[in-house]
Amino acid sequence: MTGKPEEYAKKRDFLRTPEPGLDEGKAGDRPVFVIQKHDARRLHYDFRLEVEGVLRSWAVPKGPSTDPKEKRLAVPTEDHTLGYKDFEGVIPEGEYGAGVVLVWDCGPYRNLREGEMSMAESIEDGKVEVWLEGRKLRGGYALIRTGKGEKARWLLIKMRDEEADAARDILKTDPLSAISGRGIEEIRRASEG
Ligand code: MN
């Protein structure tokens, strides 16, 4: 399957938003993850995993944690085009997701259930386990679906391994972009010219 995230395209007017169109972005040797800090109506973090040509996506209101005891709500959102992994900028007022987007972390990942289930199957199964090799986040992370039907919800949880650190508050200590070193306000100002 080569992803054509139609819902992604439907929600956006590419004449108005600087977000990437459907044909941007190429797959590399290894699948990647990206976590975007998104200062929209409410600040949140978007967790995305490259799976079969698209970025499967969850919005995480409180962002990721390095503490295995923290279970962070992760709300599934529409698949994003692969080119989105490099997107940093300002979505204009009136457009879907209006606000500032910053690439908070990115890097390759491994499917820890490889051999048992593909990534697409893991998501279907409601149990995703990946090893992140980010610039900030490293080690195992699980996305777990609990409950059924309308009550189903996903949780993002740090797995217990040598990269876990309950004492760290990484969202506070490392707030800037992993690719440009910029903060939210700097990106906002740059777009105002
Ligand atoms: Mn978002």
Side-chain angles (χ1 to χ4, degrees), residues 127-143:
K127 186 178 153 198
V128 174
E129 293 179 349
V130 287
W131 185 271
L132 305 182
E133 298 173 32
R135 302 179 191 191
K136 296 174 184 173
L137 297 188
R138 304 191 64 84
Y141 275 82
L143 269 163

Side-chain angles (χ1 to χ4, degrees), residues 25-32 50 82 85:
K26 265 198 219 108
D29 296 339
R30 301 183 56 194
V32 297
E50 178 185 349
L82 202 48
K85 65 186 165 62

Side-chain angles (χ1 to χ4, degrees), residues 12 36-40 42 44-46 48 58-59 77 80 84 91 96-97 101:
R12 292 169 172 82
Q36 277 150 325
K37 187 174 176 179
H38 188 182
D39 189 17
R42 247 178 200 209
H44 61 273
Y45 293 76
D46 290 298
R48 312 188 197 282
W58 292 260
T77 58
H80 277 48
Y84 216 88
I91 303 169
Y96 179 70
V101 176

Side-chain angles (χ1 to χ4, degrees), residues 173-185:
T173 57
D174 290 39
L176 304 179
S177 166
I179 58 172
S180 71
R182 296 184 299 174
I184 290 284
E185 291 313 319

Side-chain angles (χ1 to χ4, degrees), residues 11-138:
K11 286 175 183 281
R12 292 169 172 82
D13 176 355
F14 294 110
L15 294 176
R16 286 188 42 86
T17 180
E19 293 166 289
L22 287 192
D23 296 322
E24 294 175 46
K26 265 198 219 108
D29 296 339
R30 301 183 56 194
V32 297
F33 79 97
V34 60
I35 299 172
Q36 277 150 325
K37 187 174 176 179
H38 188 182
D39 189 17
R41 265 179 306 179
R42 247 178 200 209
L43 180 75
H44 61 273
Y45 293 76
D46 290 298
F47 184 74
R48 312 188 197 282
L49 293 167
E50 178 185 349
V51 178
E52 297 179 1
V54 297
L55 296 172
R56 303 293 297 264
S57 299
W58 292 260
V60 184
K62 290 188 174 170
S65 174
T66 56
D67 180 355
K69 290 192 295 297
E70 287 286 327
K71 296 175 170 62
R72 299 283 163 94
L73 180 67
V75 182
T77 58
E78 79 275 17
D79 296 350
H80 277 48
T81 185
L82 202 48
Y84 216 88
K85 65 186 165 62
D86 305 312
F87 176 67
E88 195 164 88
V90 177
I91 303 169
E93 274 314 310
E95 291 303 294
Y96 179 70
V100 183
V101 176
L102 166 162
V103 176
W104 183 78
D105 199 14
C106 57
Y109 80 86
R110 273 192 299 120
N111 174 12
L112 291 172
R113 302 185 74 191
E114 188 74 64
E116 177 201 359
M117 276 193 196
S118 70
M119 283 297 294
E121 287 166 340
S122 298
I123 294 170
E124 187 67 31
D125 186 44
K127 186 178 153 198
V128 174
E129 293 179 349
V130 287
W131 185 271
L132 305 182
E133 298 173 32
R135 302 179 191 191
K136 296 174 184 173
L137 297 188
R138 304 191 64 84

